[in-house]
Amino acid sequence: IDEKNGNLRTTIWIIKLLSEKPLEEIVRHPKVKRAVQGIRRRIENRLKFYRRKLQLLGGATFVDLTSVKFRPLTFAPYFLYPRALYGLRLSMTGRLRHLNVGVNPWRRKENGVNIGQLLARYGGGGHKQVGGIKFKTKSAAEKAVKEIIEYLK
């Protein structure tokens, strides 16, 4: 609930409530309602960004988050493009560009690519369904994104 501040007191309060009261009653609590409304607004704003910036390229989506500071919505690409099999997200981690590549969790059975092995070619790694790579330069990241999207088509 306290996604923004990570307030331990609020987390403990929520856990205690969950152990004592039915969820139906908890969601009506004014403090919980306010928190949920705030989270909904943040998610709606992030979804607006994704709707503007997310690209569908063949069977893969790509979004560049290097210019934003908000926490990514991991499943937004598959919410907006449910037929997409892969999702690529470029973000910043300190001074490095970080490329995440994942398989749509609702279409995993259709995946014929081991993402970890694919990304190992670029110095990254991961598992069959998800992986990542860090790049020092923008040009290296952009080149890899183009090549990986082409491969996943």
Side-chain angles (χ1 to χ4, degrees), residues 67-83:
S67 65
V68 298
K69 300 225 185 282
F70 62 72
R71 186 175 174 187
L73 296 175
T74 304
F75 301 110
Y78 313 120
F79 171 72
L80 297 171
Y81 294 105
R83 298 302 308 152

Side-chain angles (χ1 to χ4, degrees), residues 3 36-51 73:
E3 170 199 41
V36 169
Q37 287 171 347
I39 291 168
R40 274 195 164 150
R41 274 192 303 275
R42 287 191 294 278
I43 289 172
E44 287 168 7
N45 287 334
R46 291 174 197 170
L47 273 174
K48 284 179 189 174
F49 175 88
Y50 274 84
R51 283 186 178 100
L73 296 175

Side-chain angles (χ1 to χ4, degrees), residues 24 53 61 123:
E24 181 179 292
K53 299 292 185 172
T61 63

Side-chain angles (χ1 to χ4, degrees), residues 49-50 53 62-70 72 89-100 135 137-138 141-142 145:
F49 175 88
Y50 274 84
K53 299 292 185 172
F62 172 71
V63 65
D64 184 342
L65 301 177
T66 56
S67 65
V68 298
K69 300 225 185 282
F70 62 72
R89 177 181 73 225
L90 189 61
S91 59
M92 294 299 290
T93 304
R95 292 184 177 172
L96 299 175
R97 282 164 174 73
H98 189 217
L99 177 64
N100 290 83
F135 298 95
T137 66
K138 181 179 180 179
E142 289 173 344
V145 166

